[in-house]
Amino acid sequence: MERTIIFCMLFFFSSTVLAAASHRAVKYRQILLVIEKLEHAVKDKDVEWLHTPENPVEGCVDTALSCFKNGTLQLQPLNSQVNATFTKAIRVFRKYTIRSPGKQCESSCESYKKKPPKEFLTSFAKLIQKLLKNEYSAQQS
Amino acid sequence: MAALATFLVPVLLLCGPDPCPAAAHSQPEVKCVLFNEEYMNCTWGSRETLKANYSLYYWYRNTSNKVECKHYWQDQDIRVGCYFNQNEIIQFQPFHVLLKASMGGSTLEISKRMELQDLVKPDAPVNLTIHNMSNNQLQLTWATTYPKAKCLEHAVKYKSNKDTDWMEISVNGDVFSLPSVDYKKFYTFYVRSKVNKYCGRTQLWSEWSVPVVWGSNSTSKGTVHWLWIHTVLIPIASCLILLVLVILLVRMERVWVILMPRIPNPSKNFDELFITHNGNFQEWAGVPKDVVESFKPNYSENICYVSELPPKDSYEPLWESSNPPPSVMPSASPAPGEHSPYKNSYGRV
């Protein structure tokens, strides 16, 4: 009886992990699509530059993600025509939940250089692509 | 003159007395391609365009040490590229290269920053397989040697033997369905891959795969068969049949008679008339003798010659002339007492 319970627990645990992994991949793809749309809808000139994490080391990825999330909320639309697209995109970032950053990361958002919005989005996309590629790599193995 | 001098002085200072490494040629540019994430080649020219000695150094953003290339590509003692193995490749970190070109005493340095995840070129797809589905549908599947298959997007190129242009369709998964196919046509399929936008920003497509074909090539096969039938089989068969017929004609009189009937010769039927009865029709026909006798005349007739008299003006009554009419030439004068049917009409017009 105990063995059955243990096997069932293992089964449900692995199902949960797999579902979470695939959910993460789906979320990353969604974020990339939103970034692609935002790149053409965001105001790049005469706006405040944003702290842009570059190549965060292992252990600082979640911190970098939360920096990016906070930065997207400060973006401004290019004109009134793209307001609807812009609002939808920002809603996606608002709903995106990031794991609480680990205490071992010494870099804060302010430690990263400030860059214009379009470069900020390019770096954000690069980080998400890296995470997605790692996700696929883990799924394959 | 002063302007020319102003222009020439910096050039001469840069190059010095020795030839300038890049003066005669355009500045070489370093181009890197990451092949299937297994190895990378960075090249900066070819033997024809390069004249100097080249050295490549590279480093990543987080490292401060410049590392020289360990495996150079050489073309007749000129370094034209550098080979990086998998351990030397880190994606998603800025990759910096520094190319030093030295010729004589002068050195030229060219630096470049790259993102290696945007320079990936996957290998061509392999194991292309076609499956026959229901409703005249074809399904094409393939495999890839790229380590992260989900990072790839694909393009399928196909056409039939009746089409002139290729159809190119983008596919996100690793299955392509062709909804309706013609079983009489012959289809050829190619597939290629590229890293999709979720894993990089590359524009490098892989090479086209080895093709896979489906369908009947009956048009070409049919043409060959038809030609063979027309030019060889039919003539030979015709000749054989003709030969058989000729033999039959010669050997079998019954067939010959049917094809070439005899010209009727009725003379045989009249052999008896001409040979036995010597042309005597009545005898051959079996006419009775008394009927034959009845047709023989029992009187004799004299021939009476009749001629036309001259016109009235020159007419002289014949009775008044003692001379007998010159035109009258009776062969025999009838006896006075003998009745002549022609007497009343003698000499009269």
Side-chain angles (χ1 to χ4, degrees), chain B residues 10 17 38 41 59 69 110 149 155 260 266 287 301 313 342:
Chain B
E38 291 167 2
N41 277 339
W59 67 97
C69 171
I110 301 153
M260 301 286 285
V287 178
E301 282 181 59
D313 292 339
Y342 301 113

Side-chain angles (χ1 to χ4, degrees), chain A residues 9-38:
Chain A
M9 279 175 63
L10 278 171
F11 172 75
F12 283 115
F13 175 72
S14 51
S15 304
T16 309
V17 166
L18 276 171
S22 64
H23 173 74
R24 254 204 307 275
V26 169
K27 197 70 192 173
Y28 289 150
R29 287 166 72 105
Q30 187 189 25
I31 291 171
L32 280 169
L33 286 172
V34 167
I35 291 172
E36 193 182 10
K37 284 180 189 169
L38 268 183

Side-chain angles (χ1 to χ4, degrees), chain A residues 29 32-33 36 39 55 57 122 125-126 129-130 132-133 136-137 139-140, chain B residues 37 91-94 115 117 146-151 197-201:
Chain A
R29 287 166 72 105
L32 280 169
L33 286 172
E36 193 182 10
E39 277 176 341
N55 309 306
V57 296
T122 304
K126 199 172 98 175
Q129 282 169 353
K130 179 181 175 183
L132 187 54
K133 226 169 174 177
Y136 287 149
S137 207
Q139 284 176 12
Q140 209 108 356
Chain B
E37 292 191 11
Q91 294 183 53
F92 297 103
Q93 278 199 30
E115 296 282 346
Q117 70 275 4
Y146 186 71
K148 296 140 195 160
K150 288 185 181 178
C151 278
K197 61 185 175 186
Y198 301 111
C199 297
R201 292 190 175 191

Side-chain angles (χ1 to χ4, degrees), chain B residues 168-214:
Chain B
E168 193 164 332
I169 312 285
S170 293
V171 179
N172 279 327
D174 52 2
V175 177
F176 170 70
S177 292
L178 197 55
S180 61
V181 288
D182 190 345
Y183 284 88
K184 294 175 191 170
K185 290 183 183 175
F186 185 73
Y187 293 87
T188 308
F189 296 88
Y190 290 90
V191 186
R192 65 175 179 178
S193 308
K194 184 174 84 72
V195 173
N196 61 28
K197 61 185 175 186
Y198 301 111
C199 297
R201 292 190 175 191
T202 175
Q203 298 302 317
L204 292 169
W205 282 95
S206 72
E207 300 302 320
W208 286 108
S209 65
V210 172
V212 67
V213 297
W214 182 90

Side-chain angles (χ1 to χ4, degrees), chain B residues 135-146:
Chain B
N135 302 329
N136 287 354
Q137 195 175 353
L138 278 188
Q139 207 172 62
L140 174 67
T141 58
W142 56 88
T144 179
T145 56
Y146 186 71

Side-chain angles (χ1 to χ4, degrees), chain B residues 5-70:
Chain B
T6 315
F7 173 72
L8 282 174
V9 163
V11 174
L12 288 170
L13 281 174
L14 267 171
C15 299
D18 294 321
C20 188
H25 309 278
S26 58
Q27 202 172 27
E29 189 193 348
V30 180
K31 289 179 185 172
C32 298
V33 176
L34 190 49
F35 291 96
N36 217 41
E37 292 191 11
E38 291 167 2
Y39 65 94
M40 181 169 70
N41 277 339
C42 289
T43 53
W44 47 85
S46 62
R47 181 69 180 85
E48 288 76 30
T49 56
L50 303 173
K51 300 289 176 194
N53 290 327
Y54 294 92
S55 301
L56 184 83
Y57 299 86
Y58 68 96
W59 67 97
Y60 290 93
R61 175 64 182 268
N62 293 342
T63 61
S64 55
N65 299 331
K66 292 185 182 61
V67 180
E68 188 176 359
C69 171
K70 294 180 183 67

